[in-house]
Amino acid sequence: METIFEILKAILFGIVEGITEWLPISSTGHMILLNEFVKLGVSEEFYDLFEVVIQLGAILAVVLIYFKTIFPWGFGKTKEDTKDTFNLWGKIIVACLPAAVIGILADDWLDAHLYNSVVVSIMLIVYGIAFIVIETKGLGKGKVESIKNITYKQALGVGAFQLLSLIPGTSRSGSTIIGGLILGLERSVAASFTFFLAIPVMVGASLLKLLKYI
């Protein structure tokens, strides 16, 4: 019976991760809060690896959904389409640089000082208010109406906003969407670019955690 309860709790964690990863409400924050009330009967090291595994499931979902867009060859793509795909990856890499550098340097400090329910609760409230303000101001009607029209400068700017997601309770997708809207991206473009950014960011974060146990 105890094993069944542990399996059910693991499924609950997976459901929360799957739902919150792609909404601007911080999957990490909700996982921290859930872990305050529903404890898995595992060691801290095992739980860290468990988080990595369920995040990889979310990564796979994005890859499958957008595979035609992010893969440069096949699917009837012309040379121009292939060039546009490589250009997209260039912007994704540029946007990922700020969080990658700061995240690697400050990872242990962030884990030790900010990964708690108080910080998460505060940031969830802050970003909830931020989205209300953005909706009130009518942002999301920017001039950039296509992914390929995003400039490298705008991509870097979105990457700078992504730094905010290093604070637990700050949604990665939420911070980058807000950044995109402020920088002039149309709402759907900001959301799509955020999903693309998730692939290298989540892979990198997962590998970083895995390296700790090798």
Side-chain angles (χ1 to χ4, degrees), residues 112-182:
H113 295 87
L114 299 182
Y115 273 67
N116 59 72
S117 57
V118 175
V119 173
V120 169
S121 299
I122 292 172
M123 297 313 297
L124 287 174
I125 293 171
V126 168
Y127 274 86
I129 295 172
F131 269 104
I132 292 174
V133 171
I134 284 174
E135 290 298 324
T136 302
K137 295 295 183 180
L139 294 178
K141 301 176 182 179
K143 296 181 179 179
V144 181
E145 299 179 345
S146 172
I147 286 285
K148 71 177 184 178
N149 291 333
I150 297 175
T151 66
Y152 278 89
K153 183 178 179 179
Q154 287 172 321
L156 184 60
V158 171
F161 274 92
Q162 188 170 233
L163 281 172
L164 298 173
S165 66
L166 295 175
I167 304 173
T170 301
S171 167
R172 188 202 60 79
S173 59
S175 61
T176 51
I177 288 174
I178 288 174
L181 295 178
I182 292 174

Side-chain angles (χ1 to χ4, degrees), residues 42-65:
V42 297
S43 66
E44 184 177 342
E45 291 77 12
F46 184 93
Y47 179 75
D48 285 343
L49 290 175
F50 173 75
E51 280 191 312
V52 171
V53 171
I54 59 177
Q55 285 178 341
L56 287 175
I59 297 171
L60 180 60
V62 176
V63 172
L64 289 175
I65 292 172

Side-chain angles (χ1 to χ4, degrees), residues 85-102:
T85 303
F86 278 116
N87 195 32
L88 169 62
W89 274 108
K91 295 170 186 175
I92 291 172
I93 292 171
V94 166
C96 288
L97 288 177
V101 174
I102 302 300

